[in-house]
Amino acid sequence: MSSGGGGTETSGSGDIARTLDLLWGTGQRPSRGPKPGLTLDRIVETAVEVADRDGIGALSMRRIAAELGTGAMSLYRYVPGKAELLDLMLDRVQRVSADAAELGDGGWRSALEALGRATLALYRRHPWLLEVNQSRPILGPSALDGMEKVLSRIKPMGLTDPELLSVIIMIDGYVVGAARTQLYQEQAESSSGLTDAQFWEAQRPALEKAMSSGRYPVLAGLSEDTFGPDFDHFEFGLQRILDGLEVFVARRTAGDEDRAGTGRTAGDED
């Protein structure tokens, strides 16, 4: 379900037919591997572990083979190459839990609320996803399972099918932006050697001088906790998106009821 970022890698850039065969288990697989215990599942799991630990830039068939203690050529008996392996990894990390409570215990709003939080957690577990362009994803079982689960929960919104899809895209786009901001903050701290507090403390004298100049009266009048760490910007934004959707759904429902009362249909409108 996740669209990912602009990225250094692109989904769907390999042999599409072969990737689909591997995702759906419709293609031939080696009946016996050159190394005991070597399977496609183990290859994909190892690739995910490498990407989680060292980033997507560290991913290569040679690196995965070394992690598995085998030769790179052995891997090609299971997967054609890195591009196809990436698509298998994307489907693997998006596996949906069978627990219905995962998407909340209420209506469509609680489902979207849970979806937003779960998607943020997904990017936190696998930050390399933000470096993959998923604008044209290969749809495997995990992706379709996820879509089916979410759509079944938000169908009662009463929107058109394109609008329901747009709701999912809206939530995912918001989460991607928030997740990327968090990741960039962590990377900046790691690369600079300065904590967030140290970074802003270094700017304090210049900022205090600027605020006392009278040039920025609104900024100077902000409360002391405005830029503090206690405010949950992600949760605030998510709730306002859901508030807006509630207004839209209520308006759509009222419009449908008005049309039903007058005997008109959506197709009768100008």
Side-chain angles (χ1 to χ4, degrees):
M1 286 185 294
S2 300
S3 62
T8 58
E9 301 287 346
T10 303
S11 64
S13 59
D15 184 329
I16 296 175
R18 181 64 178 131
T19 300
L20 288 169
D21 282 342
L22 292 170
L23 283 170
W24 291 98
T26 56
Q28 282 189 324
R29 298 193 181 190
S31 57
R32 184 174 58 190
K35 176 181 174 60
L38 187 61
T39 64
L40 180 62
D41 283 345
R42 190 175 172 210
I43 292 170
V44 175
E45 288 173 0
T46 301
V48 170
E49 290 171 0
V50 168
D52 287 347
R53 184 172 64 244
D54 301 323
I56 198 70
L59 190 69
S60 70
M61 299 295 277
R62 184 181 298 276
R63 171 67 184 278
I64 304 307
E67 292 280 334
L68 291 167
T70 188
M73 292 307 296
S74 300
L75 270 58
Y76 291 106
R77 299 189 64 213
Y78 297 86
V79 60
K82 178 182 173 182
E84 294 81 6
L85 177 59
L86 176 62
D87 286 319
L88 298 179
M89 293 166 61
L90 293 173
D91 194 72
R92 174 60 59 90
V93 300
Q94 295 182 67
R95 282 183 173 176
V96 179
S97 168
D99 185 2
E102 186 183 63
L103 282 182
D105 55 1
W108 63 262
R109 176 165 181 147
S110 69
L112 290 175
E113 189 174 18
L115 174 65
R117 293 169 182 162
T119 305
L120 181 64
L122 175 69
Y123 286 123
R124 297 287 294 172
R125 290 194 303 273
H126 310 290
W128 55 270
L129 286 171
L130 294 168
E131 299 182 65
V132 180
N133 178 348
Q134 297 182 61
S135 58
R136 298 201 300 181
I138 299 293
L139 298 179
S142 294
L144 294 187
D145 285 347
M147 288 289 289
E148 179 72 15
K149 187 173 183 179
V150 174
L151 286 170
S152 67
R153 291 293 303 275
I154 68 174
K155 192 74 173 175
M157 294 176 79
L159 307 182
T160 67
D161 291 344
E163 288 171 342
L164 288 175
L165 179 60
S166 189
V167 166
I168 296 175
I169 293 172
M170 182 192 312
I171 297 297
D172 188 68
Y174 170 70
V175 176
V176 166
R180 183 179 290 114
T181 297
Q182 290 183 8
L183 177 63
Y184 286 173
Q185 289 175 337
E186 293 170 1
Q187 289 177 340
E189 183 168 320
S190 176
S191 62
S192 68
L194 293 175
T195 66
D196 218 38
Q198 291 171 330
F199 174 79
W200 291 112
E201 178 60 25
Q203 297 190 62
R204 186 171 61 81
L207 291 175
E208 287 180 345
K209 184 176 181 180
M211 292 304 103
S212 64
S213 69
R215 183 175 178 177
Y216 308 101
V218 177
L219 282 169
L222 293 176
S223 63
E224 292 185 2
D225 63 347
T226 299
F227 300 100
D230 297 331
F231 190 86
D232 191 335
H233 294 282
F234 173 80
E235 194 65 30
F236 179 83
L238 179 61
Q239 296 303 326
R240 301 299 73 77
I241 290 174
L242 298 177
D243 287 346
L245 285 172
E246 281 200 334
V247 172
F248 181 70
V249 169
R251 185 185 304 155
R252 175 63 57 80
T253 301
D256 290 344
E257 290 173 351
D258 289 344
R259 283 190 292 271
T262 59
R264 299 179 64 192
T265 63
D268 295 326
E269 295 184 357
D270 293 334

